[in-house]
Amino acid sequence: MIRPLSRTALVLDIVGASLLFIVFTPMSIVFYGPGTGNTDISGPSAAAVVIASLLMFGGVAIGRLAPRLALIAAWVGAVLQMLAGFGPLPIDVAILMVLYATAAWGSRRVLWWGFGSAIGGGFVAATYMVIVNGVAFGTGSGWDKITAGTLLLVLSLLALGFAWVCGLLWRVILRSRRTRAAQLQAESLAAEEQERVRIARDMHDIVAHSLAVVIAQADGARYAAAAKPEVATEALGTIAQTARGALSDVRLLLTQLRHRQGDGPQPTLADLEALFAQVRQAGIEPRITIDPTPPGEPPGAIQLAVYRILQEALTNAIRHGDGAVDVHLAWLPDRVDIQVRNTVAREQTAAVGGHGLIGMRERAQLVGGSLQAERQGAQFVVRATLPIGESA
């Protein structure tokens, strides 16, 4: 019944309707007053015009706030005007405004009530002017009255229907704006969610790999501290270097979270050797095969995906394997195939899984590829295929 409307908009509607009432009500009285030969305008007739005008422009004042009540007020004012014996008056412009409001801001039911009012009001107005006001052409015979009534009906339907159609067009525009705003908001939320997922995936890759190296080095240093102090010192240096690198990457990611700018850490193929070096420092010697080699410079997204997939697969090998890891990269003209095999330690009875595998699959899917990770006997195998198209 009542639509949400700002106070400013409501005040503007009331002020505008009041000004129209002040202008058109005296004009209607003068239009039908003694100056036009009508001596019945004084007294009750003038009061009827004022009340009808008050109802109609009151409907205009609440047209956006309550279109249903505005339509009822306009109908009551029109009926009162006809009961007083008046034909079309300048105050009837308020009816057009109310019909516009029902189509522009009314509910679906009020919208069609407005349409019915435009059609029914046209027939009522034409019939009233012909029968009560005696509007006719020529001698006023039956045929002349039919001709006049038909013309008046067409004019009434055009006037009332035009107001309703204009409101309907504005309704469509408003709905289009709301739809576009909702679409932009949804796109913004989706982009923010994708960014959060990417940052979370990068955070997991960085922290998980770095902690795996730190834990492996710390265990080695603890065992070698008594027999080979120099090995323990080297392990502590590796721990410090790995932790500093991880801290730097995490700071970049946190800066990106705060300021929503920058791309954060974006490793490339040139960083793979540093990754393999960290794995070797953790006590695992990966056997690496690259055949065939990249024919050119692969796209940056592919390089990032290859690095992150290898980083997570090697991290799993450090945490769950017994030291034997085989890495094979095949850079074909249209794709790159990745395969990482590691022997699972005997104490690892369950399959390796968790957020790391989910992250690897997402990495592959983001660039249009696929990834499978499964346990095959005593080995855990990660296979990925990433399309690259033409190399740069």
Side-chain angles (χ1 to χ4, degrees):
M1 183 70 71
I2 305 296
R3 295 178 61 251
L5 190 66
S6 67
R7 182 176 300 179
T8 301
L10 181 59
V11 170
L12 289 176
D13 288 349
I14 294 175
V15 171
S18 301
L19 293 176
L20 292 175
F21 173 80
I22 294 173
V23 172
F24 283 102
T25 302
M27 187 184 301
S28 298
I29 296 176
V30 172
F31 185 73
Y32 267 86
T36 62
N38 188 351
T39 59
D40 297 330
I41 192 62
S42 59
S45 298
V49 172
V50 173
I51 295 174
S53 178
L54 186 63
L55 287 169
M56 292 180 184
F57 286 107
V60 173
I62 62 172
R64 283 196 290 179
L65 180 67
R68 182 184 303 180
L69 296 179
L71 185 62
I72 294 173
W75 265 110
V76 173
V79 170
L80 179 61
Q81 175 183 333
M82 289 186 291
L83 290 177
F86 292 103
L89 293 175
I91 61 174
D92 293 335
V93 70
I95 297 177
L96 303 180
M97 296 181 179
V98 171
L99 288 175
Y100 177 92
T102 60
W105 298 291
S107 63
R108 183 178 295 273
R109 180 176 297 180
V110 175
L111 168 70
W112 293 113
W113 282 359
F115 177 76
S117 297
I119 302 299
F123 280 96
V124 170
T127 303
Y128 177 84
M129 284 186 286
V130 172
I131 295 178
V132 177
N133 294 133
V135 178
F137 294 146
T139 61
S141 62
W143 180 253
D144 291 335
K145 289 184 177 181
I146 292 176
T147 303
T150 303
L151 179 60
L152 291 173
L153 175 62
V154 171
L155 293 176
S156 299
L157 290 177
L158 287 176
L160 299 175
F162 178 77
W164 185 85
V165 169
C166 288
L168 182 63
L169 291 176
W170 183 244
R171 183 191 191 94
V172 172
I173 293 173
L174 293 177
R175 177 174 295 181
S176 175
R177 289 179 179 178
R178 289 193 298 267
T179 302
R180 180 57 180 166
Q183 180 182 359
L184 292 176
Q185 183 179 8
E187 291 176 353
S188 176
L189 291 176
E192 290 179 358
E193 181 63 24
Q194 291 177 358
E195 185 68 7
R196 284 194 296 268
V197 171
R198 186 190 70 80
I199 293 173
R201 188 166 51 240
D202 283 344
M203 184 75 76
H204 173 272
D205 293 343
I206 293 168
V207 174
H209 174 75
S210 300
L211 287 181
V213 173
V214 167
I215 291 170
Q217 289 291 314
D219 288 339
R222 180 162 53 88
Y223 295 139
K228 297 181 179 179
E230 67 280 2
V231 175
T233 302
E234 182 181 352
L236 291 175
T238 301
I239 290 174
Q241 179 182 358
T242 303
R244 277 194 294 267
L247 180 61
S248 176
D249 289 344
V250 169
R251 282 175 175 170
L252 286 173
L253 286 173
L254 293 178
T255 300
Q256 186 178 1
L257 279 175
R258 286 194 298 268
H259 302 290
R260 298 183 63 184
Q261 62 185 10
D263 295 328
Q266 298 293 337
T268 64
L269 296 182
D271 298 304
L272 285 178
E273 188 54 43
L275 175 65
F276 297 146
Q278 286 184 332
V279 174
R280 295 187 187 99
Q281 290 172 353
I284 293 180
E285 184 64 35
R287 294 181 289 271
I288 303 165
T289 305
I290 302 178
D291 185 25
T293 58
E297 183 72 15
I302 298 298
Q303 296 188 52
L304 176 61
V306 170
Y307 182 93
R308 292 304 190 198
I309 290 173
L310 288 177
Q311 184 183 46
E312 180 59 34
L314 292 173
T315 299
N316 286 336
I318 295 174
R319 297 166 61 185
H320 306 288
D322 63 356
V325 182
D326 292 301
V327 178
H328 182 263
L329 289 175
W331 292 90
L332 303 175
D334 60 340
R335 70 183 190 277
V336 54
D337 292 333
I338 305 171
Q339 180 174 286
V340 180
R341 290 178 173 268
N342 68 275
T343 304
V344 181
R346 292 183 179 180
E347 61 271 17
Q348 296 289 336
T349 57
V352 180
H355 295 288
L357 294 183
I358 296 175
M360 285 194 292
R361 290 193 181 95
E362 290 178 347
R363 291 283 182 187
Q365 292 171 359
L366 283 175
V367 294
S370 60
L371 183 142
Q372 299 84 34
E374 58 184 356
R375 186 165 180 171
Q376 297 179 353
Q379 289 190 323
F380 191 80
V381 182
V382 176
R383 293 189 182 90
T385 299
L386 311 179
I388 57 176
E390 295 291 337
S391 297

